[in-house]
Amino acid sequence: MPGRISDEKREEILRSTSIVDLVGERVQLRAAGREFVGLCPFHGEKTPSFYVNPEKGLYHCHGCGAGGDAIKFLMGVGGLTFPDALESLARRSGIVLEEEDPHAARESAHRRRLLDALFWAAGRYRAAFRAPMGKIALDYMRSRGFTDATLDTFGIGWAPAGWDNLVERARKDGIDLPILEEVGLISPRTKGGEGWYDFFRERVLFPIADEAGRVVGFGGRLLEGKEKKYINSRHTPVYNKSRVLYGLDLARASAAKAGLVIVEGYVDAMALHQAGRPNVVASLGTAFTEHQADLVKRSVREHPVTLLFDSDSAGEKAAERGIENFLARDLAVRVATLPGGLDPDEFVHQQGVAAFDRLVESAEDFLDFKIRVVGERCDLGSLDGQAAAIDAVLATVARLANPIKRRLALQRMGSAFPVPTAELESRLQDLTANRSPFRSRPTASEAPPLVREPERVSASPRFPPPPLPRRADHPGWLVAGEEFVLQALLFAPELAEEVEATYPLDCFADPAPANLARRLLAAGGTGAIGEDLLRRVLEDGAQDQAGAERLRAISRRHTARPSRTEIDYRQEFAKFLENVQKRKNRLRVAVESQTVRRAEAAGDREALNESLKTVSKIVKE
């Protein structure tokens, strides 16, 4: 992605772009005097009201008011960011982008090298897929019902058996092997001497493209054997699965007119595209993140998003996780449930595309879906069960960005639960006022309290509590754990909401990492990740030299780890939280034990019994 581009360079790119040719690739235009006219790609219409002026290099729709230059058109119809749209037009015109910032220029050049290496690898895998060595893979994909045209559209490839096919081909083609390691396609040997070996071996490969159509990673499927069936590219400077939707580059144009359908797997998306439904993407198996929701928002505009998942509990939970981020962006969300344990690929092959269309058209509104699933989980015959169900639905309603929609949702809830709307609204306010996952991220200007003392426990007011450990006494694992939280916020931003909910800033034992976490959370909402996020945070807090060096050291440790080492941030964060809770319980027991001893010395049997009960309760937690 380019850095800061001069206004002169931007104007040069626009002058070199034929807006008629650009728009004509998406819209059927006809001459109308000195302008061209066609059906607007931004809203449904039957009478053309979309005009393109080649002399001014502008477009305008008299129906919906959309208008702008070639950059704005690509951003609108393609869902691209401004830098990506500018870069796309520059490539189209053969113009080399030169950033004003030398550091940004170096980073951009390195990013292009990574993307070029991935593009080269995709070509090699695709060639192997069509060669005799790839016949087993080609036959398998054809047996799944895929045509050659669909396989070509999605760029399906094959990583043949053997440890160094890609490595040796890269040497012949002059491809930098450390670059291939950086994008996760080869790994350093740990046995048998120096060198590298291929990461993908004997697998069908699904190239994963970003919204601009650039290959950023791969998914690999094993045809037979006992290894893991699917493996994906690890996180790299150009690929993070929480920031990509498979097939979005192919689905954008259709999504802008008909909305988006989101499924779980590669072959599901491919099968529906082949069946004539190109407005389908796959989630790559991750819980929906804010960044993926932003991608969807740019693609669908006012049209609905339909989540199409399995009818089991895992599918329902995936749908629930996705709903809330979409609601926060004021998107219309529906959920369609597949019958009989079928996946979308099987469903469309067995029952046809007409049945698929009916399934999508009959999708549940998000609120009906949420009320139904929580009703199935909770005991609605008990007061506790009803209260839990209401709170679960309110947790979702709270994410609605539009206050009018929130009010309407509460009124509809009144039809499902025997509670007046006013009381539901009051309960919603109570929930959102408390410290809960509803709490929005801090802005850069907010300065919440950074340190909270460990909880003081005093069973009896007769005795003052003993002194708590000094801050210098914090164990090494706690210091390392809080640095791990900073690393997670840098390289796994999908955990940001979980960090805020379960280890908020005032839980940090040390104010320095707490302050850095606050800045990472504030800057993370911009969509930056890794080195991009680090640079943004350092620019915003240039005066904090100690904090800057601490973040740089964390980033260096992350990038210097062996490329084969994949970090499960969610699992490691859960372990850290478990250790934090154990430490908190030990501190509480230590405090209460001193209270026990003092109660014994004073002969206060009532206080003694109360303290012993408290200690027993803590130990059992």
Side-chain angles (χ1 to χ4, degrees):
M1 182 181 296
R4 173 70 172 89
I5 304 298
S6 67
D7 292 337
E8 292 79 8
K9 179 66 71 174
R10 174 178 172 276
E11 291 302 320
E12 179 189 354
I13 292 170
L14 289 174
R15 286 195 304 270
S16 302
T17 299
S18 167
I19 194 168
V20 173
D21 291 344
L22 178 69
V23 174
E25 294 174 1
R26 310 280 185 126
V27 179
Q28 187 173 351
L29 298 173
R30 60 176 175 79
R34 302 175 70 175
E35 294 184 315
F36 291 81
V37 65
L39 296 175
C40 179
F42 302 113
H43 80 287
E45 62 177 10
K46 296 181 179 179
T47 302
S49 61
F50 182 82
Y51 287 80
V52 180
N53 188 316
E55 296 178 1
K56 297 180 179 180
L58 300 173
Y59 68 90
H60 179 76
C61 176
H62 296 287
C64 67
D69 57 19
I71 299 172
K72 186 74 176 291
F73 180 80
L74 269 190
M75 292 174 65
V77 79
L80 303 184
T81 61
F82 178 87
D84 284 343
L86 193 65
E87 185 177 21
S88 177
L89 291 178
R91 288 199 308 267
R92 182 188 183 96
S93 301
I95 296 174
V96 177
L97 293 177
E98 297 177 356
E99 294 85 349
E100 293 178 344
D101 179 3
H103 176 71
R106 288 192 298 272
E107 285 197 347
S108 182
H110 183 66
R111 182 181 176 85
R112 283 194 291 270
R113 289 185 69 196
L114 299 179
L115 293 171
D116 287 346
L118 287 160
F119 180 79
W120 169 85
R124 300 275 56 80
Y125 290 137
R126 188 172 175 180
F129 183 67
R130 292 294 183 178
M133 71 176 72
K135 185 178 186 301
I136 184 175
L138 179 59
D139 289 346
Y140 169 77
M141 293 302 290
R142 285 174 173 169
S143 73
R144 294 289 300 264
F146 291 110
T147 65
D148 286 4
T150 298
L151 298 174
D152 287 342
T153 296
F154 284 87
I156 303 304
W158 170 248
W163 289 91
D164 57 2
N165 289 289
L166 193 68
V167 170
E168 291 304 315
R169 185 59 192 243
R171 288 195 174 105
K172 293 179 182 177
D173 291 354
I175 304 298
D176 193 353
L177 293 177
I179 289 290
L180 286 183
E181 181 186 351
E182 191 170 355
V183 294
L185 293 178
I186 62 175
S187 300
R189 293 183 180 275
T190 56
K191 298 179 181 179
E194 298 180 353
W196 287 272
Y197 65 90
D198 296 353
F199 178 73
F200 292 107
R201 302 179 304 279
E202 208 165 357
R203 290 178 183 268
V204 176
L205 291 188
F206 302 83
I208 302 168
D210 64 11
E211 66 272 25
R214 299 169 298 199
V215 176
V216 292
F218 295 89
R221 190 192 193 285
L222 191 68
L223 296 185
E224 55 186 16
K226 297 182 179 180
E227 296 180 58
K228 190 175 180 181
K229 181 181 290 186
Y230 278 99
I231 59 172
N232 299 316
S233 293
R234 63 174 176 82
H235 288 190
T236 72
V238 295
Y239 174 66
N240 182 331
K241 65 181 180 181
S242 69
R243 293 169 177 264
V244 179
L245 289 168
Y246 180 71
L248 183 60
D249 58 313
L250 301 174
R252 284 181 322 217
S254 298
K257 297 179 180 179
L260 202 64
V261 177
I262 303 179
V263 297
E264 292 185 81
Y266 303 110
V267 295
D268 295 327
M270 290 175 59
L272 291 168
H273 275 250
Q274 181 170 287
R277 298 299 176 264
N279 61 322
V280 178
V281 298
S283 63
L284 299 179
T286 65
F288 286 105
T289 66
E290 291 185 346
H291 308 289
Q292 289 173 320
D294 287 336
L295 290 175
V296 172
K297 175 69 173 178
R298 291 200 298 267
S299 300
V300 302
R301 300 180 188 87
E302 74 278 9
H303 296 290
V305 178
T306 303
L307 306 178
L308 181 61
F309 291 142
D310 295 341
S311 57
D312 58 14
S313 60
E316 288 181 345
K317 289 179 180 178
E320 288 184 87
R321 288 193 297 267
I323 284 172
E324 295 188 357
N325 279 329
F326 293 135
L327 294 181
R329 284 150 184 81
D330 201 21
L331 291 168
V333 189
R334 308 179 305 181
V335 182
T337 303
L338 287 158
L342 298 175
D343 59 35
D345 173 34
E346 295 168 334
F347 181 85
V348 77
H349 277 111
Q350 291 181 20
Q351 302 192 28
V353 70
F356 169 78
D357 290 341
R358 290 193 296 271
L359 183 69
V360 172
E361 290 168 4
S362 62
E364 289 180 291
D365 173 85
F366 85 91
L367 188 57
D368 294 334
F369 167 78
K370 185 73 176 187
I371 291 172
R372 177 176 62 80
V373 296
V374 300
E376 292 170 354
R377 294 176 195 155
C378 300
D379 178 13
L380 298 183
S382 69
L383 294 178
D384 288 342
Q386 287 185 352
I390 289 171
D391 280 357
V393 178
L394 287 174
T396 298
V397 171
R399 297 304 296 269
L400 279 165
N402 187 317
I404 296 176
K405 291 182 180 179
R406 221 167 25 239
R407 178 69 179 176
L408 293 172
L410 292 174
Q411 291 175 357
R412 284 176 54 191
M413 280 186 66
S415 300
F417 300 103
V419 180
T421 301
E423 293 185 21
L424 291 172
E425 188 168 10
S426 176
R427 178 58 177 162
L428 178 62
Q429 291 174 354
D430 290 342
L431 290 173
T432 54
N434 292 333
R435 191 173 210 90
S436 71
F438 307 143
R439 188 167 64 91
S440 61
R441 291 188 177 186
T443 63
S445 61
E446 287 178 334
L450 298 182
V451 180
R452 183 176 72 196
E453 292 292 340
E455 181 179 347
R456 295 176 182 267
V457 180
S458 179
S460 171
R462 295 185 179 91
F463 307 115
L468 291 166
R470 301 189 309 275
R471 200 165 302 286
D473 293 333
H474 291 310
W477 69 262
L478 182 59
V479 175
E482 292 187 345
E483 290 221 343
F484 168 80
V485 173
L486 298 180
Q487 180 176 319
L489 292 176
L490 265 174
F491 295 98
E494 65 271 20
L495 281 181
E497 291 186 358
E498 188 171 336
V499 169
E500 288 185 272
T502 58
Y503 199 76
L505 299 177
D506 53 356
C507 281
F508 278 73
D510 188 337
N515 185 50
L516 293 174
R518 176 181 61 80
R519 288 159 56 188
L520 286 168
L521 287 167
T526 62
I529 186 174
E531 295 298 322
D532 292 337
L533 177 56
L534 175 62
R535 184 174 66 253
R536 190 183 300 273
V537 171
L538 297 185
E539 290 172 352
D540 292 342
Q543 72 281 1
D544 182 8
Q545 295 301 319
E549 186 50 40
R550 191 169 192 170
L551 285 181
R552 290 193 187 99
I554 291 171
S555 178
R556 286 196 295 269
R557 287 197 295 272
H558 174 85
T559 55
R561 79 189 196 287
S563 61
R564 63 187 179 280
T565 305
E566 183 70 23
I567 301 175
D568 188 336
Y569 282 101
R570 193 175 300 280
Q571 181 179 357
E572 294 301 319
F573 181 61
K575 291 178 183 177
F576 171 66
L577 290 180
E578 183 180 351
N579 288 333
V580 168
Q581 185 60 46
K582 288 179 180 177
R583 177 177 183 264
K584 181 179 178 181
N585 288 346
R586 286 196 297 270
L587 287 173
R588 292 170 62 195
V589 169
V591 170
E592 205 62 43
S593 296
Q594 293 194 31
T595 304
V596 168
R597 287 193 291 272
R598 295 187 183 193
E600 286 178 327
D604 189 335
R605 183 172 298 278
E606 181 182 349
L608 175 62
N609 289 337
E610 191 65 29
S611 292
L612 288 173
K613 289 180 182 178
T614 302
V615 171
S616 177
K617 182 179 178 181
I618 295 171
V619 170
K620 291 178 180 179
E621 289 180 355

